[in-house]
Amino acid sequence: MEKLLAPGHRACAGCSMPTVINLVLDAAGPNTIVATPTGCIEVTTTPYPESAWRVPWIHSLFENAAAVASGIEAALNHFGKNHNVFVIAGDGSTLDIGMGCISGMFDRGHNVKYVCYDNEAYMNTGVQRSSSTPPCTSTTTTPSGKVSFGNPRPKKDMPAIAVAHRVPYVATASVAYPVDLRRKVKRAISIPGPAYIQVNAPCITGWSFEAGTTVEIARLAVETCLWPLYEYVNGELAGVKKIHVKRPVEDYLKAQGRYRHLFRMKGGDEMIRVLQRLADENARKFGLLYEGDVTCTSGE
Amino acid sequence: MKITVAALTEPGSTIVNKTGAWRTFVPVVNHKRCIKCSLCEIYCPEGCIHQIDGLFVPDLDYCKGCGVCAHECPRKAIDMVLEEK
Amino acid sequence: MKMIAKEEMSLKERMARMKVVEGSYAVAHAVKCCAPDVISAYPITPQTHIVEHLSQFVADGELDSEFLTVDSEFSAMSSLVGASAAGARCYSSTTSQGLALMWEVLYNAAGMRLPIVMTVANRALSAPLNIWNDQQDSVGARDSGWIQLYAEDVQEAADAIPQAYKIAEDPEILTPVMVCMDGFILTHVYEPVELLSVKDVERFLPPYRPEHILDPENPKTFGAFADPSYFTELRYMQWDAHRRALSKIETVAREFAEQFGRWYGGLIDTYHADDAEVIIVTMGSVIGTIKDCIDDIRSEGLKVGLVKIRSYRPFPTEAVRRALKDAEVVAVIEKDVTVGNEGALLTDLKAALYNTPTRVPVIGFPAGLGGRDITVRDIRRVVDRAIAARDRGIEAEMEFLSLREDLL
Amino acid sequence: MKEIRFHGRGGQGAVTAAEMIAIAAFEDGRFSQAFPAFGVERRGAPVMAFARINDKPIRMRSQVYEPDYVIVQDVTLLDVVDVTGGLKSDGKIIINTDRDASALKLNTEAEVVTIDATRIAIDTLGRPIVNTTMLGAFCGATKEVKLESLEKSILTRFSGSLGEKNIQAVRTAYERVVR
């Protein structure tokens, strides 16, 4: 079956972003209009005079996709047309520069489904820190160094911010769980009003992992509980993806160049413990483990 | 091609860009091992693995050789092989 | 051509159709008559009354528009980019800091060839914070790709709205239009205005039927990125559309005059300019004061005239060349200044004259900055300076009008 | 052309008064213009508004510096604002006060008209909002607009019993000063 994002786009070999887009569009179907901010998506899918998009698509600026989508939805409302309106955007444009427009879109209650593919840094400009970058991550603006373990700050909790706006459907998802992701997109469409889905989307260039392991890295994020999969419906936690075997965070970290320093620097082990505590806290807060499940030791 | 007002672009027109040229390794599918789980098709970033006559086949015009399909195949039915060009 | 229908219709007849209303109301009413599908705006003094009146029209069911109460001017213009691409006729209004906040989107809307119409209630830009009128805001946006029309009075500011849509939505133009009206001076004044009617505007302004919209049936990509091999041509096309707009603006003004009997000039207008020795060039609401002044000065024997710049972008190069070719001296009054050079209009005007045989002295006066009143005495001072420049040569090419030297 | 300057305090409706004169003058078949001295003044601060009336369309946009008429809605402004500044010697200034004109010792050759508009407003409207009352006095003192036009103009702003009460206040003030 022909994908709604055509091949021939210029995304890196092994990039998870086109897979995320196709999963979203598979679920949403062709009756969908997409707005996308500036970022890897725009640059890799729409080099004039070509476009990979087989649905109507618009790019305006880096920080305004939510507002652009608001306007599209308002126009469709006015004309009595019934199309899905989606934003598909990176974490830089979502958690940082586009926050004002997103807050406004949520607040006005537009029927816009906002999907953030979260690769945890500004990849389009060369792996600079975003407020979605996890702690202890080395980026080009928070590099590890003699006196630095990389990004000093926790990840901004954007799903919680969406919930605080009374967005009726808020979820996290992962490229490694395609059935779950497609189900969540369909559920978002079924609930009127804004929705926010943040998808963990590994970046082969920025995260520096072995070719072919894109999906495995995403799966490890979930299995270590560093990336909990959950849904909020009308402000209530409505579901989580349980983990059968919780892996230690080392399994996830050591597979990625952006955490290499933690295994080489003095004191890195303490930082790994900090990250393990974050994972454990996620497991507790969202109830990710089955009763009696074991935490696996490193490697197994 | 004449330029279009406001750079309006036709849908799916990147197909003129054959990204297969990017490839170093090429996926070779052992169809006998394939259980038709379709995970390779789902995960392929190029969306270029198609089921043809029941068999999952990568479109080498576009396959960038990323190896995700091979890595994710639960039956290890896909090998990444250095391509001779 | 000029006074066309104006003379045919007696003042009494026109008065019978007039009503004393606030400037902002007249503009909002004109917008209502154009029936935009989507309105998106953020309140900011002195533009606020326009959006308040529009909100009321929507609340009263008189206007069937989606009205977005957005979180910022940036979102206002951004949402209209989406709405316009989805095929909606769109309206916004703003001023000053709000226009500055829209900056990035202004270029975007113009580059995407989206025929949005926006009223700019001209106001100074901070710092220091100042809510009063000058035109630094829109003049600063002159290179954004928007067409800019400047209104002399409330009637013109209102009548310019349907004209703006007709220009913007023309398939040969497809360029957003800013209608600039002086903040407070025009937005807050009560004066007699002939209000437009929906029926008349429907006759004047065809419905908006864009060729391409965001539509799953025909899924086009809007806003692709263009590398160096295409960018120049896309800019050229915008530039060329502005060139076509030069005649379109004239045509639409004429069509409006024919139907409504009101004429404000096309690209420019003139007042006693044909035989004038001294010509003042300016734009916006100060024109009325200058006209009164010209009448007085002419009664004293000096031939003074006026060239009103109605379209600042596209700049009416040929029209001003024709209008100024026999002048002995030209004085530009403008409510802006380019810090580091001179008034923007002064520069543009001199540039227009440079490659012509006309060698008239041109001097400029930034005036009315941050709401400083421009008085009759100020205009007379400009004329005196112009005469001196003609008779004894230019002493200063530019002078801040009514600068309080005692404070310096 | 006649030019009018209004002095009031924020919230007293000086700007509305200027608008209503403009509407009334237009009702009379003349051209008019009304505008506030734009500012950021809040309730209670001294404010100004202006109006112009002419037999031909009004083009002048500068503020009013040499008014033919001045209306002072609040006598306490005399201490803080130069209410007679620029007032033409053959002009008139109408002041809301219970005192006699001579007691005010104003620095002007123009005619000074006083009226206890606050009392009239309290008696008729039940509130000390004097802008319409002062318009009645202006109308009576200057005959610049017709009383019926002024009443019509006021009714565009106030409807029902509030409109009726305002008309009553206007008429009372008009009768007090008309000659």
Side-chain angles (χ1 to χ4, degrees), chain C residues 281-297:
Chain C
V281 181
T282 194
M283 38 194 202
S285 69
V286 72
I287 284 165
T289 307
I290 294 173
K291 282 178 175 171
D292 273 10
C293 237
I294 286 174
D295 288 357
D296 291 347
I297 297 171

Side-chain angles (χ1 to χ4, degrees), chain A residues 219-232:
Chain A
R219 196 177 296 116
L220 279 168
V222 174
E223 290 176 347
T224 54
C225 298
L226 282 169
W227 188 264
L229 296 178
Y230 56 80
E231 301 169 85
Y232 279 86

Side-chain angles (χ1 to χ4, degrees), chain A residues 6-11 13-15 18-19 23 45 48-54 175-176 178 182 211-216 219, chain B residues 1 3-4 7-17 19 22 41-47 50 62 64 66-68 71-72:
Chain A
H9 59 72
R10 273 78 163 170
C15 177
T19 306
L23 288 169
T45 64
Y48 186 80
E50 297 164 20
S51 170
W53 297 83
R54 289 178 171 134
V175 70
R182 282 191 291 222
T213 62
T214 310
V215 175
E216 186 186 337
R219 196 177 296 116
Chain B
M1 187 209 78
I3 204 158
T4 45
L8 276 184
T9 308
E10 292 301 316
S13 46
T14 46
I15 53 167
V16 299
N17 184 41
T19 51
W22 296 22
E41 184 195 2
I42 289 169
Y43 286 132
C44 174
E46 313 315 313
H50 305 293
Y62 302 106
K64 293 172 184 163
C66 71
V68 167
H71 196 85
E72 289 304 315

Side-chain angles (χ1 to χ4, degrees), chain D residues 72-174:
Chain D
V72 182
Q73 294 183 339
D74 188 330
V75 72
T76 62
L77 289 168
L78 266 48
D79 301 329
V80 286
V81 182
D82 180 16
V83 295
T84 56
L87 175 59
K88 287 186 181 147
S89 55
D90 59 349
K92 290 182 185 177
I93 178 168
I94 301 135
I95 303 172
N96 171 21
T97 177
D98 57 0
R99 287 186 277 169
D100 282 342
S102 56
L104 297 174
K105 298 194 170 50
L106 287 180
N107 179 26
T108 180
E109 290 170 34
E111 183 187 340
V112 180
V113 180
T114 64
I115 176 134
D116 190 358
T118 303
R119 173 50 50 201
I120 295 171
I122 288 173
D123 288 349
T124 51
L125 304 174
R127 292 189 305 164
I129 306 294
V130 299
N131 59 347
T132 49
T133 310
M134 288 299 286
L135 290 181
F138 167 80
C139 186
T142 68
K143 305 278 181 54
E144 203 59 62
V145 295
K146 289 196 188 115
L147 182 61
E148 62 189 62
S149 301
L150 179 62
E151 291 180 1
K152 224 168 160 180
S153 154
I154 285 169
L155 287 176
T156 64
R157 195 67 174 233
F158 305 101
S159 55
S161 69
L162 186 60
E164 290 306 315
K165 285 176 184 169
N166 274 287
I167 298 296
Q168 198 192 328
V170 164
R171 285 184 187 163
T172 308
Y174 178 88

Side-chain angles (χ1 to χ4, degrees), chain C residues 76-139:
Chain C
M77 188 46 65
S78 295
S79 58
L80 293 189
V81 165
S84 184
R89 178 176 283 169
C90 295
Y91 177 80
S92 189
S93 65
T94 190
T95 176
S96 181
Q97 310 305 132
L99 187 66
L101 189 54
M102 282 183 187
W103 197 258
E104 196 185 2
V105 205
L106 293 180
Y107 278 77
N108 200 251
M112 291 177 81
R113 309 294 296 275
L114 301 170
I116 298 162
V117 169
M118 174 163 68
T119 300
V120 174
N122 288 113
R123 169 187 144 182
L125 279 165
S126 75
L129 178 65
N130 177 292
I131 60 162
W132 290 268
N133 164 245
D134 67 32
Q135 295 167 351
Q136 193 74 53
D137 49 2
S138 56
V139 166

